[in-house]
Amino acid sequence: MNKEHRRQFIHLSGFIFVLAAQIIGGLLISVYCFMIAFFFLIYSYYLRYEKRKINVIIRKLEQLETKFRDFTMGNARPDEIETKFLSGPFWFFLGFGITFLVFPLPIASAACSILAVGDCFSNFVGRRYGRRKITTGRTVEGSLAFIVSSFAASLLFVSPITGIAGALSGAGAEILRKPNDNLIIPIASGIIMVVLYTITGMGIENIIWLCSI
């Protein structure tokens, strides 16, 4: 498994937070995600301005930190390695935290699933099979993979019409990539799904919608 595949697998593991939110609630998950996001922010500054210590205890902690550094930097993008700022994990968990804080649990769960699942499959399919370029780093094939996979994941939490709206808006946000797709994908998807619900009055399920058929 190469570095990019490992990085996308880690990205996909964010779906675990979505499942956990169904048990312990969106607010608590939001707090956890904020904590993780700011951990990576602080750790990035540590990487920039670290000072070596001679204390034995600090040395042992540094050994643990070195292993963690090897793992994180081993799966980081080239720009993250150069700047010593782990922007991917920071924006990913910040996006999760804001989404679970702002939106109702079913909407937040669907929006974060769209990020975790859709971005992973988009990257994999786009790199492997992408031929028709949309923008730099984005292809038609990758965007279609994003829509299909994220729509499928969203059906665990919302209705099909709400899910496809969220998947399409997430795909559009991924193409824009500013300020960071890990931040704007779940927020944009959440906003569109809430607006759709408000305008149409469609019911949003908190369980797998197939069970209600």
Side-chain angles (χ1 to χ4, degrees), residues 20-81:
Q22 313 311 306
I23 301 174
I24 64 178
L27 181 60
L28 193 55
I29 284 294
S30 176
V31 172
Y32 289 154
C33 289
F34 280 134
M35 291 172 62
I36 296 172
F38 283 100
F39 163 77
F40 279 107
L41 178 63
I42 294 170
Y43 183 61
S44 294
Y45 278 99
Y46 168 78
L47 291 175
R48 286 181 178 179
Y49 306 113
E50 62 177 310
K51 293 182 179 179
R52 294 296 175 185
K53 309 294 183 180
I54 59 174
N55 186 281
V56 175
I57 296 178
I58 297 299
R59 283 183 178 177
K60 291 183 178 180
L61 290 175
E62 284 188 341
Q63 291 175 357
L64 293 175
E65 184 274 328
T66 298
K67 293 180 180 179
F68 183 71
R69 180 190 304 216
D70 291 341
F71 176 76
T72 54
M73 300 307 287
N75 293 289
R77 292 190 176 100
D79 60 309
E80 293 175 327
I81 296 174

Side-chain angles (χ1 to χ4, degrees), residues 165-177:
L168 290 171
S169 59
E174 186 196 34
I175 293 173
L176 294 176
R177 303 182 69 178

Side-chain angles (χ1 to χ4, degrees), residues 14-33 96-97 99-101 103-110 112-113 157 206:
F15 191 66
I16 295 173
F17 287 84
V18 177
L19 297 178
Q22 313 311 306
I23 301 174
I24 64 178
L27 181 60
L28 193 55
I29 284 294
S30 176
V31 172
Y32 289 154
C33 289
F96 263 47
T99 303
F100 275 110
L101 181 64
F103 300 109
L105 181 59
I107 292 288
S109 300
C112 290
S113 298
F157 311 102
N206 194 23

Side-chain angles (χ1 to χ4, degrees), residues 141 158 207:
E141 293 82 359
V158 298
I207 58 174

Side-chain angles (χ1 to χ4, degrees), residues 155 158-160 205 207-213:
L155 294 182
V158 298
S159 65
E205 301 83 357
I207 58 174
I208 300 177
W209 71 272
L210 286 172
C211 294
S212 65
I213 296 179

